[in-house]
């Protein structure tokens, strides 16, 4: 019965994503000029896309990570990131493809879509890092006070973080060291992107639709960035958790532990297809929403960044409130996720679809760099807590 339930969940995700793309978007979002119908369509796209498709696929990724890690020897954070970063990449790539298609017909629309591609891609990195820093901060408080704490003060439904003394398995210091190294590399990559855009990407166009400073991540920088990201992912590909007793696993993970590896990859592939069509629907919905609400496209893109990182945030949250030694995977996964997202930005740059205004470029990258620093500091505190428990 559970086998059928798992397959049914993934199948329904695919059907829902296809319905969004070819029914809601084509007929009720783009097929009409009636504003209230478009508003309803936008709400449906985001509610179904985030509340169902992304939520269910995030659960599949979470449930399969540990199984694949044991079978492949790859880092759990890498496997987690490849799945959860897929929405980030798809949103950015789809926006870039639409931008490229519109460039000769409507230059202003093409630039707006390119701004959505950039701000959503890099905006998701902000949400990922800030949310992870909060989760680690709450865990550090629980360790320091030696008492269980709500993830969100006064909100019991957000879950409870137990101090390390109450964990079945404690994450390793090696995982924390690896997370710090990856975040340091991510900081350098982020600085490389910002410097490349400022030094080589200023756009000087005679077209009147473009107002103010505009910067692009140019093709050569995109190529270099792509190879850097691939090299970094390959370098950090190995599992860093030492051998340890396997905790009791939940029913879904037990189910995947009994399946053949090809079946697990098949479920992940179906989840990826569902994410693909849901993300494309959201890009189109974001564009229409910006027109209807008269909101700058960079703001829309930054807000939409939470869409792309929603899966990663769920996984980090669940791994934090379920004390089974997986918070290390979660932290490494966040850093890996942002490197995979940066790789998506490189692909978008190669397609010619990343643009940011001067002010937004400064704000986005300063926030990312500051958030990275905060998370590194919190991980260092967490590592000290691990050392203290193991010595005791």
């Amino acid at each position: 019965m559970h086998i059928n339930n798992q397959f049914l969940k993934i199948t329904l995700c695919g059907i829902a994503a296809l319905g969004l793309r070819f029914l809601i978007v084509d007929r009720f979002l783009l097929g009409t000029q009636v504003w209230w119908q478009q508003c309803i369509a936008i709400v449906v796209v985001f509610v179904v896309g985030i509340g169902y498709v992304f939520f269910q696929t995030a659960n599949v990724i979470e449930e399969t990570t540990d199984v694949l890690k044991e079978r492949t020897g790859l880092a759990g954070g890498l496997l987690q990131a490849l799945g959860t970063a897929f929405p980030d990449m798809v949103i950015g790539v789809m926006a870039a493809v639409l931008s490229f298609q519109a460039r000769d017909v409507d230059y202003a629309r093409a630039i707006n879509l390119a701004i959505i591609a950039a701000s959503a891609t890099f905006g998701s990195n902000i949400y990922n890092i800030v949310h992870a820093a909060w989760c680690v901060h709450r865990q550090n408080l629980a360790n320091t006070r030696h008492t269980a704490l709500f993830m969100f003060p006064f909100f019991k439904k957000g879950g409870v973080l137990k101090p390390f003394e109450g964990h079945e398995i404690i994450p390793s210091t090696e995982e924390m060291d690896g997370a710090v190294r990856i975040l340091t590399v991510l900081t350098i990559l982020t600085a490389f992107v910002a410097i490349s855009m400022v030094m080589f990407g200023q756009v000087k166009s005679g077209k009147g639709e473009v107002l103010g400073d505009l910067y692009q991540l140019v093709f050569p920088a995109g190529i270099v960035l792509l190879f850097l990201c691939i090299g970094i992912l390959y370098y950090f590909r190995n599992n860093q958790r030492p051998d340890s007793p396997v905790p009791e696993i939940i029913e879904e993970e037990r189910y995947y532990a009994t399946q053949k590896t090809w079946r697990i990859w098949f479920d992940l592939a179906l989840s990826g297809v569902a994410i693909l069509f849901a993300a494309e629907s959201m890009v189109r919905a974001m564009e229409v929403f910006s027109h209807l609400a008269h909101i700058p496209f960079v703001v829309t893109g930054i807000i939409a960044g939470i869409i792309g990182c929603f899966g990663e945030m769920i996984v980090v949250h669940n791994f934090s409130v379920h004390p089974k030694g997986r918070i290390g995977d979660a932290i490494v996964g966040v850093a890996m996720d942002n490197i995979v997202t940066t790789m998506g930005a490189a692909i978008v740059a190669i397609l010619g679809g990343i643009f940011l205004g001067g002010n937004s470029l400064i704000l986005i990258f300063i926030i990312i760099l500051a958030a990275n620093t905060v998370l590194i500091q919190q991980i260092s505190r967490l590592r000290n807590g691990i050392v203290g428990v193991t010595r005791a």
Side-chain angles (χ1 to χ4, degrees), residues 7-21:
F7 184 74
L8 181 61
K9 286 180 183 178
I10 299 173
T11 302
L12 289 177
C13 280
I15 293 173
L18 290 171
L20 289 179
R21 173 60 185 86

Side-chain angles (χ1 to χ4, degrees), residues 169-189:
I169 295 179
I170 299 175
S172 69
T173 56
E174 290 85 357
E175 288 176 298
M176 299 300 104
D177 292 339
V180 169
R181 288 197 299 270
I182 298 171
L183 282 167
T184 302
V185 172
L186 176 63
T187 300
I188 296 172
L189 282 179

Side-chain angles (χ1 to χ4, degrees), residues 18-31 40-42 44-45:
L18 290 171
L20 289 179
R21 173 60 185 86
F22 296 105
L23 178 62
I24 302 300
V25 170
D26 282 355
R27 183 170 181 179
F28 297 103
L29 185 67
L30 303 180
I40 293 175
I42 291 170
V44 171
V45 167

Side-chain angles (χ1 to χ4, degrees), residues 240-366:
Q240 294 179 320
R241 183 194 292 178
D243 293 335
S244 58
V246 178
E248 181 182 354
I249 55 179
I250 62 176
E251 182 181 2
E252 289 82 359
E253 292 173 344
R254 186 180 298 114
Y255 159 69
Y256 279 115
T258 62
Q259 299 301 308
K260 294 183 182 295
T261 303
W262 71 264
R263 169 60 198 280
I264 299 175
W265 287 114
F266 180 73
D267 282 9
L268 289 174
L270 290 180
S271 300
V273 172
I275 291 172
L276 175 67
F277 285 106
E280 182 184 356
S281 301
M282 290 178 186
V283 171
R284 296 181 182 274
M286 285 187 287
E287 183 184 10
V288 174
F289 175 74
S290 291
H291 283 298
L292 291 176
H294 303 290
I295 295 176
F297 283 88
V298 65
V299 175
T300 304
I302 292 174
I303 295 173
I306 198 171
I307 298 170
C309 68
F310 187 70
E312 178 66 36
M313 292 174 70
I314 292 174
V315 173
V316 172
H317 182 92
N318 289 346
F319 280 4
S320 299
V321 299
H322 297 128
K324 296 183 179 180
R326 297 178 184 174
I327 192 171
D329 280 341
I331 297 170
V332 172
V334 168
M336 288 284 199
D337 181 284
N338 284 6
I339 290 176
V340 174
T341 303
T342 304
M343 183 173 67
I347 296 172
V348 174
I350 293 170
L351 294 174
I354 277 194
F355 289 86
L356 280 174
N359 292 337
S360 56
L361 184 150
I362 293 170
L363 291 175
I364 287 174
F365 286 105
I366 284 179

Side-chain angles (χ1 to χ4, degrees), residues 209-220:
E209 300 94 332
V210 180
L211 300 176
D213 295 334
L214 196 63
Y215 295 88
Q216 179 185 15
L217 184 59
V218 295
F219 179 85

